[in-house]
Amino acid sequence: MKYLLMGLLPALMWAGTEPRAAAKDYPVHISAGRAEIGAEYLSRTINDANSSYYTGVYLVIEVAIYPDKGVTLPVAASDFQLRVNGRKTPLLAQTPGMVAVAIRNPDWEGRRTGVVAGGGLGNADIIIGGRTPTARFPGDTRDTRRPQPVPPPDGNQQRAQQDGGEAAIRLALQELRAEGAVSGLIYFAHKSKLNDIRRLELIYEGPAGRQVLVLR
């Protein structure tokens, strides 16, 4: 059975986060060819007003771009990649809609066998479903029963999950042509334990050139 989750990208404009006064006000900052960039590693947490939301397997990076005076700079989350522990292949930025799914339905992250998901930054519909495990050969002892349904959250928890999903989308870095400072959150899927992360490098490769920000 498949579930069609409508409205994952609700009728709200992406606002991003509020840029700080200057790139130097972020823990890590660099000067690129046509802009300055600041960044902060936020672990697996989104902070919105007086609330915090856990993002499951998604690492959260707040990024701010400050174009030079008179420069209009195209900005997109896809300009950034994240290298973990010096690995050769960096992580690609994930869509805010997928992070919203993880916040609103945290039990799915532990039950991802057979999960099917479709959608992206410009697609308001995300389809997620599961497949019943089947025997691989006669006498296969693998449990082929469907997982038991997870009890629905209570009203307060459900509302918090809804708010967190909206925050993941609303605070994400916008794709736009920036004439002034812009900032927002970028998400990277990484399932390892946080304690196993020894080094994080945020790679920018976009209209302002190529730069590496060492987050830790």
Side-chain angles (χ1 to χ4, degrees):
M1 179 178 183
K2 293 183 179 180
Y3 302 90
L4 181 61
L5 303 181
M6 303 296 294
L8 262 178
L9 302 181
L12 50 84
M13 293 297 292
W14 283 2
T17 58
E18 183 69 25
R20 301 173 193 178
K24 65 181 181 180
D25 294 328
Y26 290 84
V28 181
H29 55 89
I30 53 97
S31 179
R34 301 165 60 195
E36 292 190 343
I37 301 174
E40 182 174 7
Y41 169 54
L42 301 178
S43 185
R44 288 177 172 144
T45 304
I46 292 174
N47 297 310
D48 183 29
N50 295 323
S51 299
S52 296
Y53 305 101
Y54 177 63
T55 55
V57 301
Y58 296 96
L59 302 177
V60 184
I61 312 294
E62 183 175 10
V63 171
I65 299 96
Y66 299 79
D68 292 346
K69 185 176 181 179
V71 171
T72 299
L73 191 72
V75 172
S78 57
D79 294 336
F80 294 88
Q81 301 177 37
L82 188 67
R83 189 185 308 280
V84 180
N85 294 338
R87 293 176 182 171
K88 182 177 181 180
T89 303
L91 304 176
L92 302 179
Q94 301 297 304
T95 65
M98 294 305 296
V99 182
V101 169
I103 294 173
R104 292 176 179 176
N105 304 275
D107 55 288
W108 286 347
E109 287 301 326
R111 303 157 68 98
R112 293 184 62 86
T113 301
V115 171
V116 178
L121 289 171
N123 188 340
D125 300 338
I126 293 182
I127 299 173
I128 293 187
R131 301 185 179 92
T132 302
T134 57
R136 297 166 293 181
F137 49 83
D140 186 5
T141 58
R142 183 178 64 169
D143 190 351
T144 58
R145 295 173 297 176
R146 281 188 181 275
Q148 293 300 308
V150 175
D154 61 31
N156 291 337
Q157 182 182 4
Q158 191 172 32
R159 182 58 192 170
Q161 291 172 354
Q162 179 76 12
D163 291 348
E166 292 179 1
I169 295 169
R170 175 168 44 83
L171 299 178
L173 183 68
Q174 305 175 64
E175 183 171 351
L176 46 67
R177 296 177 62 82
E179 297 180 354
V182 296
S183 61
L185 305 181
I186 306 180
Y187 310 104
F188 299 92
H190 183 67
K191 293 184 178 181
S192 297
K193 295 179 180 179
L194 293 177
N195 289 340
D196 293 336
I197 299 177
R198 301 179 301 278
R199 183 176 176 86
L200 280 178
E201 299 167 278
L202 184 66
I203 303 168
Y204 170 79
E205 192 162 5
R210 188 180 190 281
Q211 298 288 339
V212 177
L213 295 88
V214 180
L215 301 176
R216 65 180 304 178

